[in-house]
Amino acid sequence: MSSTPALRPRVVVIGAGIVGCSLADELTARGWTDVTVLEQGPLPAPGGSTSHAPGLVFQTSPSRTLAAFARYTVEKFSSLQVDGVSCFDQVGGLELATTPERLAELHRRAGYATAWGIRGEIVGADRCKELWPLIDRSVVLGGFHTPDDGLARAVLAARAQLDRATGRGARFLDRHTVTGIEQAEGRVTAVVTDRGTFPADHVVSAAGFWGPVIGRMAGIDVPLQPLAHQYARTRPLPDLAGAEAEASKPILRFQDRDLYFREHHDRIGIGSYAHRPLPVDPFAVLPYDAARARGMEMPSSYPFTEEDWAPSWEDCRRLLPALRATEIEEGFNGVFSFTPDGMPVLGESRQLRGFWLAEAVWVTHSAGVAKAVAEWMVDGRASVDLHECDLTRFEDAQRSPAYVRERGSQQFVEVYDVLHPLQPMEHPRPLRVSPFHARQERLGAYFLEGGGWERPHWYEANAPLVESLGPLPERDAWSARHWSPVVAAEARATRERVALYDMTPLRRLEVTGAGALSFLQRMTSNNLRKKPGAVTYTLLLDESGGVRSDLTVARLAPDRFQVGANSPADLDRLLRYAPRDVHIRDITSGTCCIGVWGPLARDLVQPLTRDDFSHEGFGYFRAKETYIGHVPVTAMRLSYVGELGWELYTTADLGLRLWDTLWEAGRAHGVIAAGRSAFNSLRLEKGYRSWGTDMTDEHDPYEAGLGFAVRMDKDGFVGQDALQGLAARTPARRLTALLLDDPAAVVLGKEPVHVDGTPAGYVTSAAYGYTLGRCVAYAWLPVLPTGTGVHVDYFGEKIPATVCDEPLFDPEMNRIRR
């Protein structure tokens, strides 16, 4: 292992835009003062996205992490001044609805705001007119007003933080073009520029849309696509004549037409996402001086395309009639960054230790991202969950230039769209399919997508089963999207007979070698020192005891384990710490898995194998390598749905034969294929957690209800010291099971929960429990007694719910262990 950086490491930040300046400020504030920030353009406005950013800061987001970033950005920038001028104008924000669908979406956004602790309220059309007198009251149905949002003066905020960081010892060098990244023994050692070489223990790429260029120098893939976005300013408006303040009205969003507005004294600035995507090749962006020589104001400012603007200008004039008396004075197409999922790309590369990314970050989230990355670098972890932003989150199939360009462009199109939580991408599909895909299509599978995989959510072949269910509660239009009553039939068939579930997309790792057991014992919380054939549910913790992931570890031989993991980040973490006598391989793509679950699962499987699949011969949480018909399988007696059954793994080439074997044998038992919607309903009835949704590294195992997976009496494991004493304490919060009181009510997740009329937490996962006849919701809440009544805010309606003991279904575990 290479030597670690010194106590006060040398840090080189590439890029002096808002992210680089914010990061230098955050690092030096934490005592890392040997910081050099390199910038190819002139300071304080070097010509990247920061230099042209209109500065809108809307804090509300479906992502709790992005909301936290934005909240900190508002807090920090509000405290900064340069020459007596504030770096943030807290004029508020106003999002307008001109359609019933958008008004409903604003109610949902208001729920996000409440859940994440952001002030906001739904207001009527008259109040919208008061806040923005220039709008045409007749076209507006209502709005969402957020009084703490506002306008960031991005260049000024960058300068303020530059000055603070410089005062603590950092240096900022402009006109330094990075030409190379030096490395030795897997660690970064220096940054090479056209004006010299700068030794470094850590290098952070905060280069914005130049990120892929810097990444290539380091040999690191940066999945980022720059796109150009139209921004224009009007000529002076008589209605704004005499305006002394730069802006006095809230920043305005007209999402129904992909537009936003802000004041520039007596002019109005307008941004549009309504035009066609305009992708930019980051390797073709001109340097600052070359761009100026071609008549461009800066490298990130491309010529305004009038033909793209024309339809938006008409929409602007319909909403703001005062614009009919003026014209556009100037406009440009400004370049900024998108990723395949619209989130930033943050973290340290495993392939090149000490090389960090802080890319695809907008001004809105800049200070929050910088704080998180600085915490990560200095303390080893951030104070906010970053799994949505982790640079390792994309699968290999999602990292091709074609994929990044196509999905990045689609993210631009969808910036202001009303997106359902389950809404799949349209292209490129299908990308990844299991060996059973052809059979699933024949059964009428309704596919959604995750991680590039086509995932059946239900099968139309099961529609005839719906008639036997009796009437189901009617769903509202939102919760009925990407749902079918067939889901209820599949859940019932699983509880009463037997069903086949495609579990292929779940990640599988093979861990082998003489040190495999010791390594996994050190990395995880439960005791894995068991005889071959044992399967153990365990946790991957960080040093602070936070739940980084949950794993299912099967010991198949003394030195061979199969690990069921969640994301590419799990593989990355294990590879970072694996000693030389441990070998880790991702076997997901070369294998497949079928879950066979239901009370008749044994009746289906036992005749197909010579091995004993009785309860006595094949106990719960045990594994065997055997044959199902002609197919060699690794069988694990696990159940994520709360019913008897097995996960059956085989190689991808034999997957179709395994499916057909089980299907033919299952006909006599009424077997069905069932999808992920039924799976999610059944797992919530049983109280099984979903990492990344129900818990993250912000939560410890005990408050997440996973203390049973921690063995404090085993030899040292990562996070053990931090957990000392936590089992005996009463936590301040707990992942809490709720049942909605109304049998017809449904919520979907991320809704705020009110206790005694006050926001107290938020829903993580939710689904209708067809066995229970109620919607099940899990929520992070203060510790509440069983039977406590709460209210879940769903599109502005307060839905009663009750705190329940868990598991809600089969608490004695009789159905699984028979």
Side-chain angles (χ1 to χ4, degrees):
M1 199 167 182
S2 60
S3 60
T4 56
L7 200 57
R8 286 196 167 186
R10 299 164 298 179
V11 181
V12 174
V13 179
I14 301 173
I18 190 65
V19 178
C21 291
S22 297
L23 181 58
D25 184 43
E26 296 287 341
L27 286 171
T28 56
R30 287 166 174 78
W32 281 22
T33 54
D34 190 350
V35 175
T36 301
V37 183
L38 302 174
E39 173 55 57
Q40 66 173 348
L43 291 173
S49 300
T50 300
S51 301
H52 66 66
L56 280 70
V57 178
F58 281 90
Q59 299 172 84
T60 303
S61 168
S63 166
R64 182 169 172 269
T65 298
L66 288 186
F69 289 161
R71 286 180 61 187
Y72 182 74
T73 300
V74 168
E75 174 188 327
K76 185 175 187 181
F77 287 4
S78 296
S79 70
L80 298 177
Q81 290 187 349
V82 175
D83 299 332
V85 179
S86 174
C87 294
F88 191 77
D89 274 350
Q90 204 155 48
V91 294
L94 179 63
E95 303 178 42
L96 298 178
T98 60
T99 65
E101 294 78 13
R102 180 65 63 177
L103 186 59
E105 166 71 359
L106 294 187
H107 276 282
R108 188 166 70 110
R109 289 181 58 76
Y112 292 145
T114 302
W116 313 147
I118 298 165
R119 288 201 303 157
E121 64 173 342
I122 298 297
V123 297
D126 290 338
R127 177 60 175 152
C128 293
K129 179 71 172 178
E130 290 177 18
L131 292 166
W132 251 87
L134 300 186
I135 67 171
D136 182 347
R137 160 69 177 76
S138 68
V139 303
V140 176
L141 301 180
F144 175 42
H145 180 223
T146 46
D148 298 327
D149 290 339
L151 292 166
R153 294 185 173 92
V155 173
L156 212 61
R159 181 182 155 194
Q161 293 175 101
L162 180 156
D163 290 343
R164 297 206 314 188
T166 301
R168 301 188 191 107
R171 57 177 177 166
F172 288 75
L173 303 176
D174 63 1
R175 299 293 189 171
H176 281 64
T177 299
V178 174
T179 59
I181 307 293
E182 293 186 349
Q183 52 188 284
E185 298 181 8
R187 277 206 70 90
V188 69
T189 59
V191 176
V192 182
T193 76
D194 59 350
R195 298 176 65 180
T197 298
F198 297 84
D201 302 303
H202 293 275
V203 173
V204 185
S205 177
F209 55 77
W210 281 291
V213 179
I214 302 300
R216 180 175 291 182
M217 295 179 193
I220 303 302
D221 179 33
V222 180
L224 176 160
Q225 176 60 55
L227 286 108
H229 158 62
Q230 291 201 302
Y231 191 78
R233 294 192 195 197
T234 68
R235 297 183 184 278
L237 266 69
D239 299 77
L240 300 179
E244 296 183 4
E246 181 181 350
S248 60
K249 302 174 184 61
I251 47 179
L252 185 68
R253 272 174 161 171
F254 182 22
Q255 288 119 311
D256 288 326
R257 289 295 182 270
D258 296 309
L259 294 164
Y260 63 82
F261 305 84
R262 59 153 294 179
E263 296 167 283
H264 293 279
H265 295 286
D266 61 352
R267 294 163 169 79
I268 291 181
I270 307 165
S272 171
Y273 294 100
H275 56 83
R276 62 195 167 95
L278 300 168
V280 173
D281 181 357
F283 295 90
V285 177
L286 296 174
Y288 187 90
D289 291 329
R292 296 283 289 179
R294 292 198 184 183
M296 299 167 63
E297 184 178 349
M298 61 186 78
S300 61
S301 177
Y302 278 49
F304 193 61
T305 48
E306 295 281 358
E307 66 276 13
D308 292 310
W309 178 255
S312 290
W313 184 230
E314 292 306 311
D315 290 330
C316 293
R317 290 175 156 187
R318 277 194 288 270
L319 179 69
L320 304 176
L323 296 181
R324 297 168 188 166
T326 188
E327 297 294 336
I328 295 301
E329 184 174 66
E330 59 180 350
F332 65 96
N333 290 1
V335 181
F336 64 138
S337 303
F338 286 81
T339 59
D341 60 3
M343 298 293 288
V345 180
L346 312 177
E348 182 190 19
S349 166
R350 175 176 52 82
Q351 292 82 0
L352 181 57
R353 302 294 180 90
F355 184 80
W356 295 75
L357 296 180
E359 298 291 11
V361 182
W362 295 6
V363 171
T364 300
H365 311 114
S366 55
V369 164
K371 177 188 176 188
V373 173
E375 290 173 336
W376 201 349
M377 295 176 71
V378 176
D379 304 326
R381 73 186 300 271
S383 56
V384 63
D385 166 48
L386 297 180
H387 84 273
E388 293 178 306
C389 310
D390 195 299
L391 61 86
T392 65
R393 69 187 181 271
F394 296 112
E395 305 283 349
D396 288 344
Q398 297 174 303
R399 304 184 77 95
S400 71
Y403 185 95
V404 172
R405 179 185 175 95
E406 188 166 358
R407 292 303 306 151
S409 297
Q410 188 61 27
Q411 287 294 328
F412 177 91
V413 171
E414 294 175 351
V415 163
Y416 283 166
D417 285 1
V418 178
L419 300 176
H420 192 276
L422 294 176
Q423 184 167 321
M425 66 182 189
E426 296 180 4
H427 305 285
R429 289 182 65 191
L431 183 62
R432 308 176 78 187
V433 298
S434 79
F436 325 126
H437 188 256
R439 299 293 185 264
Q440 293 165 344
E441 286 188 309
R442 192 179 300 172
L443 292 170
Y446 183 87
F447 291 102
L448 297 180
E449 180 272 343
W453 287 100
E454 294 296 314
R455 301 186 179 198
H457 275 243
W458 69 84
Y459 296 85
E460 284 301 323
N462 297 323
L465 301 177
V466 175
E467 297 177 7
S468 64
L469 297 177
L472 292 170
E474 290 190 11
R475 289 204 167 204
D476 64 279
W478 186 251
S479 65
R481 289 193 194 183
H482 307 296
W483 175 87
S484 166
V486 173
V487 175
E490 292 179 0
R492 180 174 177 179
T494 307
R495 292 277 187 240
E496 295 182 353
R497 300 192 305 278
V498 62
L500 306 184
Y501 287 82
D502 182 1
M503 306 302 291
T504 300
L506 300 186
R507 183 168 303 278
R508 293 171 291 286
L509 310 177
E510 182 182 74
V511 182
T512 59
L517 174 59
S518 297
F519 170 65
L520 291 173
Q521 279 282 81
R522 180 169 62 88
M523 293 300 295
T524 69
S525 63
N526 212 335
N527 183 24
L528 307 180
R529 199 173 293 280
K530 302 172 183 177
K531 293 180 180 179
V535 182
T536 306
Y537 178 81
T538 187
L539 305 174
L540 196 64
L541 305 176
D542 65 19
E543 288 74 10
S544 299
V547 181
R548 287 186 63 100
S549 188
D550 60 344
L551 309 176
T552 303
V553 181
R555 191 176 192 185
L556 302 178
D559 296 336
R560 181 164 61 92
F561 296 81
Q562 182 171 308
V563 177
N566 284 296
S567 75
D570 296 345
L571 173 62
D572 184 83
R573 182 165 177 84
L574 293 175
L575 286 171
R576 283 176 186 268
Y577 292 96
R580 293 187 177 182
D581 61 349
V582 174
H583 307 284
I584 303 172
R585 187 166 64 98
D586 189 332
I587 61 172
T588 309
S589 296
T591 57
C592 58
C593 178
I594 299 175
V596 185
W597 291 311
L600 301 182
R602 184 176 287 116
D603 300 78
L604 191 162
V605 175
Q606 183 62 81
L608 300 175
T609 180
R610 292 183 178 182
D611 277 297
D612 184 359
F613 271 55
S614 69
H615 183 63
E616 295 73 21
F618 198 154
Y620 189 53
F621 263 78
R622 299 293 298 173
K624 285 186 180 181
E625 292 182 292
T626 183
Y627 288 86
I628 298 295
H630 296 92
V631 180
V633 300
T634 299
M636 298 185 195
R637 190 171 167 197
L638 307 174
S639 174
Y640 207 54
V641 301
E643 294 293 337
L644 171 68
W646 290 264
E647 293 179 357
L648 303 176
Y649 298 89
T650 191
T651 52
D653 59 321
L654 290 166
L656 196 58
R657 184 59 179 258
L658 177 62
W659 179 281
D660 289 344
T661 299
L662 294 168
W663 188 258
E664 290 303 316
R667 287 181 182 273
H669 306 289
V671 72
I672 66 162
R676 290 192 63 85
S677 292
F679 177 88
N680 197 46
S681 169
L682 297 170
R683 71 100 179 164
L684 281 169
E685 289 184 331
K686 193 61 182 167
Y688 293 145
R689 276 61 167 149
S690 174
W691 183 84
T693 302
D694 295 318
M695 73 282 187
T696 68
D697 62 4
E698 291 187 15
H699 310 110
D700 70 56
Y702 302 106
E703 59 190 6
L706 299 175
F708 66 89
V710 177
R711 292 291 179 267
M712 293 296 289
D713 57 350
K714 79 169 186 172
D715 291 340
F717 60 88
V718 175
Q720 186 174 28
D721 291 344
L723 298 183
Q724 294 291 341
L726 294 189
R729 58 139 204 198
T730 299
R733 59 183 178 179
R734 180 174 289 156
L735 188 60
T736 304
L738 305 175
L739 274 179
L740 272 56
D741 296 350
D742 182 354
V746 174
V747 299
L748 299 181
K750 298 188 177 182
E751 296 87 359
V753 181
H754 297 254
V755 178
D756 296 328
T758 301
Y762 59 93
V763 174
T764 57
S765 295
Y768 199 86
Y770 299 101
T771 315
L772 303 172
R774 294 283 193 282
C775 182
V776 181
Y778 272 79
W780 281 103
L781 291 169
V783 177
L784 300 170
T786 300
T788 300
V790 301
H791 288 86
V792 181
D793 188 335
Y794 182 70
F795 286 91
E797 179 185 357
K798 302 295 191 298
I799 299 177
T802 301
V803 173
C804 298
D805 288 329
E806 56 172 334
L808 301 168
F809 176 78
D810 188 27
E812 295 81 19
M813 302 285 284
N814 293 328
R815 298 175 73 92
I816 290 179
R817 299 182 184 273
R818 55 184 166 188

